[in-house]
Amino acid sequence: MNISPRRRHGRAALTAATAAFVLLAACSSGDGSGTSTEGETGGQTGGGEAQEISYLTHWGPDQVAQLEEAAAAFTKENPDITVTVQAVPFANLLSTLRTQGGSASGPTIASIYDAWLPELVRDGVAAPAPDDAAAAVTEGWAENIVAASSSEDTVYGFPNEIDLYALNYNTRLFEEAGLDGPPATFDELVSDAAALTDEAAGVQGFGVITNWASGAVHPFLSLAASNGGRMLDDSGKAALTDEKVVAVADLYKTMLDAGSTNPDMSAANANTTGPYLDNFANGKTGMIIMANWWQAALKDSMGDAYADVATAPIPVGPDGEKSSSISYSWLTMVNGNADDAAQQAAWKFLTWLNGPDSGENGSSAMGDILIGMGILPSRTSDIEAHSETLSDPFLKTYVDGLPDATPYPTVVGGDAAAQALQKHIEALVFGQEAPQDAMSAAATEVDAALGK
């Protein structure tokens, strides 16, 4: 996938620490000599014999160290289970799962982007959660987040981080343009973007992102969701020719024609940073729709000028009833090809790691790690435990938007579908396709990617 994911799609949730996207690699999942006790993740790990399980994730060195510390605490309580953590580049994460996840010697646990789950379930790489672990998930997370960690109403993992989008804007540029607040509607977005634009100073009113699937697709679909539109209809076919989605393509065209959006300022590089970030950080972009994970990158890039950054809900379109944002999440799954004893040990560890008693002050250990990265945890009790941190003005907009978020579709072929839509959004941005033509072509290619 052309990650979001952080960015985080990531992730993929990128922070300054995770922007390099150093990820975790697989190692041996144990000797396979134990026997399982089905559905009892809290009991013995199968014959009481020692199990060494491996954890493949998408974090950088600092977060690996935090995870290792948590794993050591778990092993102190459960001396028959050892958890080993290693790293691979993000670009190799899915391919590692595809190649190594097909055997018992592959990673026992893996951190994945939710859009990958249907494929991994189809191929037998993702194991369904046993009853007690599934119950822990359904009881601890909001319904829309549980759905992203499920397939065919079956839970396949523990959700961890969640990412969604909001309008980010530069308050200094707004004041200089005589604007007293962020736009709440499509019409206000157009007029504010025009007021912010200063061609002589190299300032664009509204920035878009290209050269990165999630960066192009998720903000576009967030605007569509805020106009009552969606990517797929109830039958799973593309809904991109719906007038509520085409209206967003028209919105882009209006701002492009007015010079309020400059395509030359839109590029992302392979690390999901690049010119689009630089232009916002340097006060050359008045507004942009981006995910919560880039807060740390903004702080690092802007220094004292970060004080000029504010966030607001996605503007609502003429056919929309409320602001909504595309959301995506990450989850930890268990290798369905690992032996039964290793799987049982893995679910026991994940239940502990994501449980409310493993961290500080009512947070899970996973919640503490995510907050330390500047990433939104998804467990309801973790959000409550870290309410003071999450009341930060930048993050509060995202937290407040969680109940109305629209999950990005998790379907087989979703990655290819995102890339198809990206191609035609970018063709629109660079003046190669008209709005209706871009959405019609994207719909055809999305359906092909999904086998519709």
Side-chain angles (χ1 to χ4, degrees):
M1 160 175 172
N2 240 350
I3 185 150
S4 84
R6 239 166 13 332
R7 196 46 301 280
R8 99 161 105 104
H9 144 285
R11 300 229 34 179
L14 282 175
T15 63
T18 59
F21 265 97
V22 180
L23 301 164
L24 304 180
C27 64
S28 172
S29 63
D31 60 12
S33 59
T35 58
S36 67
T37 304
E38 185 176 356
E40 295 183 1
T41 59
Q44 293 296 317
T45 59
E49 298 191 25
Q51 289 291 321
E52 181 179 344
I53 58 176
S54 58
Y55 193 125
L56 175 69
T57 187
H58 59 281
W59 294 333
D62 291 344
Q63 288 69 51
V64 169
Q66 289 178 281
L67 183 57
E68 289 175 333
E69 183 178 353
F74 171 79
T75 298
K76 186 174 181 179
E77 297 178 13
N78 301 272
D80 57 337
I81 303 174
T82 302
V83 185
T84 305
V85 181
Q86 293 181 312
V88 294
F90 173 76
N92 297 341
L93 179 58
L94 184 55
S95 62
T96 298
L97 288 173
R98 285 171 171 160
T99 56
Q100 298 185 18
S103 71
S105 62
T108 325
I109 298 169
S111 178
I112 66 166
Y113 176 42
D114 59 17
W116 301 343
L117 182 61
E119 174 190 330
L120 297 171
V121 169
R122 178 198 64 192
D123 296 341
V125 177
D131 290 346
D132 52 352
V137 172
T138 56
E139 292 168 6
W141 280 263
E143 184 177 354
N144 59 343
I145 299 172
V146 174
S149 296
S150 305
S151 181
E152 301 292 333
D153 296 323
T154 298
V155 174
Y156 280 88
F158 277 86
N160 42 61
E161 73 178 79
I162 187 166
D163 300 277
L164 66 163
Y165 289 77
L167 184 75
N168 288 215
Y169 64 101
N170 187 306
T171 58
R172 176 183 61 80
L173 293 178
F174 265 65
E175 291 171 4
E176 292 174 357
L179 302 172
D180 57 9
T185 66
F186 280 16
D187 286 345
E188 291 176 2
L189 179 64
V190 170
S191 61
D192 287 0
L196 290 162
T197 300
D198 184 342
E199 186 174 351
V203 176
Q204 64 174 343
F206 180 76
V208 297
I209 303 170
T210 59
N211 199 40
W212 169 32
S214 295
V217 168
H218 289 175
F220 183 92
L221 290 179
S222 293
L223 286 164
S226 294
N227 194 39
R230 50 184 175 160
M231 182 177 178
L232 305 180
D233 63 21
D234 290 339
S235 70
K237 296 188 66 175
L240 300 172
T241 57
D242 185 294
E243 62 182 11
K244 296 176 182 179
V245 180
V246 175
V248 180
D250 288 332
L251 176 72
Y252 274 33
K253 182 70 160 52
T254 297
M255 291 188 286
L256 288 160
D257 287 348
S260 302
T261 296
N262 183 351
D264 294 335
M265 301 171 72
S266 66
N269 65 22
N271 291 322
T272 67
T273 56
Y276 85 91
L277 167 63
D278 297 338
N279 284 309
F280 186 83
N282 293 329
K284 299 298 184 181
T285 297
M287 299 179 284
I288 193 167
I289 293 172
M290 258 302 291
N292 47 279
W293 54 253
W294 83 327
Q295 182 187 32
L298 290 179
K299 288 181 176 179
D300 288 347
S301 300
M302 299 181 73
D304 292 343
Y306 172 77
D308 296 332
V309 176
T311 57
I314 305 292
V316 179
D319 292 315
E321 297 181 358
K322 59 185 177 182
S323 177
S324 183
S325 162
I326 291 296
S327 66
Y328 62 92
S329 58
W330 287 73
L331 64 142
T332 38
M333 49 153 271
V334 172
N335 182 358
N337 293 299
D339 63 70
D340 289 345
Q343 288 191 42
Q344 187 179 343
W347 287 116
K348 183 174 184 179
F349 172 62
L350 289 179
T351 301
W352 176 89
L353 180 70
N354 294 279
D357 299 324
S358 59
E360 300 290 334
N361 301 316
S363 172
S364 69
M366 176 63 79
D368 288 342
I369 293 170
L370 294 173
I371 284 291
M373 297 163 68
I375 296 170
L376 295 183
S378 59
R379 184 183 173 94
T380 302
S381 59
D382 286 345
I383 293 172
E384 295 170 354
H386 294 283
S387 59
E388 183 175 351
T389 298
L390 296 176
S391 65
D392 168 271
F394 182 97
L395 293 176
K396 188 176 186 303
T397 300
Y398 295 94
V399 175
D400 290 346
L402 282 171
D404 295 321
T406 300
Y408 182 82
T410 52
V411 292
V412 174
D415 183 27
Q419 293 180 38
L421 179 53
Q422 173 199 4
K423 180 173 75 173
H424 293 287
I425 292 173
E426 292 180 355
L428 168 67
V429 168
F430 289 103
Q432 299 161 351
E433 293 178 353
Q436 182 69 60
D437 294 340
M439 292 301 98
S440 295
T444 299
E445 293 184 28
V446 165
D447 282 344
L450 301 178
K452 300 295 183 180

